[in-house]
Amino acid sequence: MQDQLKIFNTISGKKELFKPINEGRIGMYVCGPTVYSDVHLGNCRTFVSFDFIYRYLLHKGYKIRYVRNITDVGHLEGDSDTDAEDKISKKARLEQLEPMEIAQKYTIGFHKMMDIFNTLPPSIEPRATGHILEQIEMVKDIIDNGYGYVVNGSVYFDTVKFVKDKKVYGQLSGRKVEDLLSETRDLKKQDEKRHPSDFAIWIKADPSHLMRWNSPWSVGFPGWHLECSAMSTKYLGKTFDIHGGGGDLKFPHHENEVAQNYGACNCAPANYWMHGNMLLLNGKKMSKSDGNTVTPEQLFTGDSPHLTKGYSPMAVRFFMLQSHYRSTLDLTDDALKAAEKGFRRLMEGYKNLQEISTSGSKADAALNEKIEKNINGLYENLDDDFNSPRALANLFEMVTVINAIANDRTDAENLRPEVLEKMKETFESVIFEVFGLTDETAGGDGQSDDLADGLMELILDLRQRAREEKNWGMADTIRDTLKELGVEVKDSKDGSTWTVNT
Ligand code: AMP
Ligand code: ZN
């Protein structure tokens, strides 16, 4: 039921019943990556969280326009708003490439990683550089409405006037307006601003700056926050339903976005603001500068001092879903191992469930009630601000029942046919559609499974012959090569068996 969904709204600091502007439809904007370097795992966590949210909203039957931008201009070093170099420009200068080559390279890398994590593409993925005209128009509106002022070719947003008129600055970050207004900063261009909390919406380009456009004020480039205001307005309207992003964006990025939208059209951009929490590594913020980081590739191969082995993308996705999107997530080797085990148990449960059939001849009321309670509880948990860990706990309660049946400790006839059917439907849609997990052990269809089984039987047979002929070199090469491919061979007196490392 669509009217049960509760969303934690950063603006109110509370869970609120979700009411879209147009019934059955949702406009959702999520801040995308700045494409100046390889996407890091922290970014991946945020985008997996919003992918799961998007998937659940789709599952509930909403028609959604999901916009996730690509920041390819305006995001300055250290998140400064004036006196630093543009992140993409800097990389282009260092690598002696066109800024667009940098943006292209890392956008492709980002898309590949999103595919690896099985995230759905957004409906629209607008680039900041493709919307310079819209941003210039927005700056004009802000100036016309009295919230922007021009100094030496740069345009600044007048936060003092805005606070006096609207008093909504600081709503998302919880910062007190008085603190913001008494803030002082030692910036080179600070003297151009009327107040330290003012921020640049158009920046006059230094001669060395690679990315620049004509505007009524100077040859320059837009401030970082402006793109999201302009592109969300263009594709979702002045006020839309959901705006998301990582929690580190609340201030200044989102706070300034709200100010710009009010400044341009006197209205709030989004009704619900959702923020994901940060990814930590061994209890500390994941950060490239102090080496406390693991790249997604290192995570998959295990080639990192922080890891004892590699983990598959789906085990990592499962690991992310095991914690609520608003909780911090601490990545440790032990936690990943536990998640890998949990993921395998869930997929085994799913497979065992497919084998179960019943006519309900010994229907056990308590058992059927337990399952129905968990199915209902699972949807209640998903409706309760997308509580994935609690929904997973519901699935595992049912996996315990499924495995008891699979291991002949419980009779399948205890299940009523309609309860079994409902459980099958729930597993299928929640695991694959909503959680976006895929079964990495399967080749995608039964035929591929059969083929893999047949090939492995042949390979192990050949290895057995090599062993019988005391050709230990060949036997070891086969075992080691399979291991590199993620297939573990175990020898015992009854012969050899194999498992795929998920
Ligand atoms: P950026 O490429 O820095 O503009 O960030 C893209 C998205 O990733 C934003 O929504 C950030 O909030 C998010 N993000 C950055 N670092 C982390 C982190 N350590 N954990 C979770 N999300 C992050
Ligand atoms: Zn943004």
Side-chain angles (χ1 to χ4, degrees):
M1 290 264 287
Q2 294 189 344
D3 54 4
Q4 306 289 314
L5 178 65
K6 280 192 255 92
I7 293 184
F8 184 91
N9 191 346
T10 311
I11 292 188
S12 63
K14 286 198 293 256
K15 283 183 204 164
E16 296 173 14
L17 209 56
F18 177 65
K19 281 213 181 325
I21 296 166
N22 299 307
E23 208 186 318
R25 289 172 180 265
I26 295 177
M28 175 161 100
Y29 187 95
V30 172
C31 291
T34 306
V35 282
Y36 70 105
S37 67
D38 287 323
V39 61
H40 72 74
L41 264 177
N43 304 143
C44 294
R45 189 215 175 176
T46 291
F47 298 128
V48 165
S49 293
F50 282 99
D51 178 64
F52 152 62
I53 287 165
Y54 175 46
R55 283 168 174 276
Y56 185 54
L57 294 173
L58 286 173
H59 177 75
K60 285 180 81 68
Y62 285 108
K63 201 164 179 319
I64 306 167
R65 181 176 289 173
Y66 172 24
V67 182
R68 189 184 64 205
N69 68 302
I70 295 281
T71 296
D72 56 0
V73 68
H75 197 168
L76 306 189
E77 286 288 310
D79 291 350
S80 158
D81 75 329
T82 45
D83 293 310
E85 197 169 359
D86 182 289
K87 293 185 183 196
I88 290 164
S89 264
K90 181 179 174 187
K91 190 79 173 220
R93 187 173 53 73
L94 294 176
E95 295 192 10
Q96 297 194 318
L97 292 170
E98 274 291 322
M100 278 299 117
E101 284 181 283
I102 296 293
Q104 182 71 4
K105 175 177 166 186
Y106 293 112
T107 302
I108 290 171
F110 168 64
H111 286 158
K112 267 196 196 144
M113 198 48 72
M114 289 298 97
D115 275 351
I116 288 173
F117 278 117
N118 198 33
T119 65
L120 298 173
S123 332
I124 305 177
E125 194 171 45
R127 285 168 174 245
T129 53
H131 297 78
I132 299 295
L133 288 179
E134 287 82 351
Q135 296 184 73
I136 289 175
E137 288 307 311
M138 195 162 222
V139 174
K140 281 187 196 164
D141 289 344
I142 292 171
I143 295 174
D144 288 348
N145 290 337
Y147 293 105
Y149 58 91
V150 187
V151 184
N152 296 332
S154 290
V155 186
Y156 295 97
F157 190 93
D158 188 340
T159 50
V160 177
K161 177 172 164 46
F162 177 67
V163 166
K164 277 190 194 143
D165 290 359
K166 313 283 174 190
K167 305 198 188 320
V168 290
Y169 200 54
Q171 254 188 340
L172 294 171
S173 58
R175 292 189 177 209
K176 289 211 179 77
V177 166
E178 307 81 61
D179 294 349
L180 283 169
L181 296 187
S182 63
E183 204 174 297
T184 51
R185 267 184 259 157
D186 187 20
L187 294 174
K188 232 189 333 162
K189 282 196 181 152
Q190 194 59 73
D191 54 348
E192 288 187 354
K193 294 183 184 179
R194 290 185 191 157
H195 192 277
S197 65
D198 291 354
F199 57 92
I201 48 181
W202 184 265
I203 302 154
K204 182 181 171 181
D206 286 339
S208 63
H209 201 95
L210 293 172
M211 284 189 281
R212 45 179 57 229
W213 291 265
N214 279 327
S215 80
W217 315 287
S218 63
V219 175
F221 58 98
W224 167 38
H225 319 300
L226 194 62
E227 56 168 294
C228 292
S229 288
M231 297 190 295
S232 63
T233 304
K234 173 162 177 150
Y235 296 111
L236 298 172
K238 288 180 178 168
T239 299
F240 52 95
D241 299 297
I242 299 174
H243 193 311
D248 57 337
L249 297 184
K250 284 182 199 167
F251 186 86
H253 186 55
H254 289 161
E255 213 72 82
N256 290 353
E257 238 186 280
V258 174
Q260 290 164 163
N261 283 64
Y262 267 107
C265 71
N266 198 24
C267 56
N271 289 337
Y272 300 83
W273 282 83
M274 298 181 70
H275 289 100
N277 215 326
M278 295 291 103
L279 181 71
L280 310 176
L281 178 60
N282 297 319
K284 282 189 288 176
K285 189 175 190 298
M286 205 182 255
S287 144
K288 279 187 201 170
S289 50
D290 59 12
N292 196 44
T293 186
V294 173
T295 65
E297 290 80 7
Q298 284 174 321
L299 195 56
F300 303 149
T301 59
D303 181 17
S304 156
H306 298 291
L307 303 171
T308 55
K309 64 188 278 304
Y311 298 92
S312 74
M314 283 305 110
V316 178
R317 187 170 168 118
F318 178 89
F319 165 70
M320 291 177 177
L321 292 166
Q322 266 185 322
S323 83
H324 189 255
Y325 77 91
R326 281 192 294 113
S327 308
T328 51
L329 173 60
D330 192 12
L331 189 127
T332 66
D333 198 47
D334 284 347
L336 284 165
K337 274 188 194 144
E340 185 180 61
K341 245 169 107 176
F343 176 52
R344 207 174 291 160
R345 187 168 137 78
L346 180 65
M347 296 317 289
E348 273 166 18
Y350 167 75
K351 279 183 201 151
N352 287 338
L353 178 61
Q354 308 312 303
E355 307 296 319
I356 298 175
S357 58
T358 180
S359 65
S361 60
K362 298 181 196 158
D364 172 341
L367 185 75
N368 287 290
E369 207 175 290
K370 176 179 169 170
I371 290 172
E372 284 182 314
K373 237 170 115 178
N374 272 296
I375 293 174
N376 294 336
L378 183 149
Y379 285 106
E380 278 162 24
N381 285 325
L382 290 173
D383 274 344
D384 184 12
D385 193 30
F386 309 93
N387 199 319
S388 55
R390 289 223 308 264
L392 275 172
N394 291 117
L395 285 180
F396 279 112
E397 289 267 336
M398 291 186 270
V399 165
T400 307
V401 176
I402 293 165
N403 288 351
I405 294 172
N407 299 328
D408 294 330
R409 280 182 281 115
T410 302
D411 190 338
E413 288 298 311
N414 287 337
L415 292 175
R416 290 206 317 266
E418 65 278 15
V419 171
L420 175 65
E421 210 38 54
K422 187 97 191 82
M423 184 157 59
K424 284 186 178 174
E425 265 171 42
T426 305
F427 268 64
E428 188 77 39
S429 58
V430 172
I431 294 176
F432 303 111
E433 232 179 275
V434 178
F435 286 144
L437 296 164
T438 57
D439 184 0
E440 291 166 322
T441 55
D445 55 40
Q447 274 185 348
S448 312
D449 275 356
D450 292 347
L451 180 64
D453 285 345
L455 288 172
M456 279 307 301
E457 204 174 309
L458 174 68
I459 292 168
L460 291 184
D461 200 32
L462 290 173
R463 181 165 173 268
Q464 185 54 28
R465 272 195 233 166
R467 279 156 66 96
E468 281 161 13
E469 289 161 11
K470 300 207 180 340
N471 186 350
W472 306 119
M474 175 63 80
D476 288 351
T477 302
I478 293 175
R479 188 197 55 211
D480 295 345
T481 310
L482 286 172
K483 190 167 182 178
E484 277 168 26
L485 294 169
V487 179
E488 196 81 43
V489 176
K490 281 209 177 78
D491 297 319
S492 73
K493 59 178 171 27
D494 302 322
S496 302
T497 54
W498 61 280
T499 47
V500 179
N501 284 326
T502 49

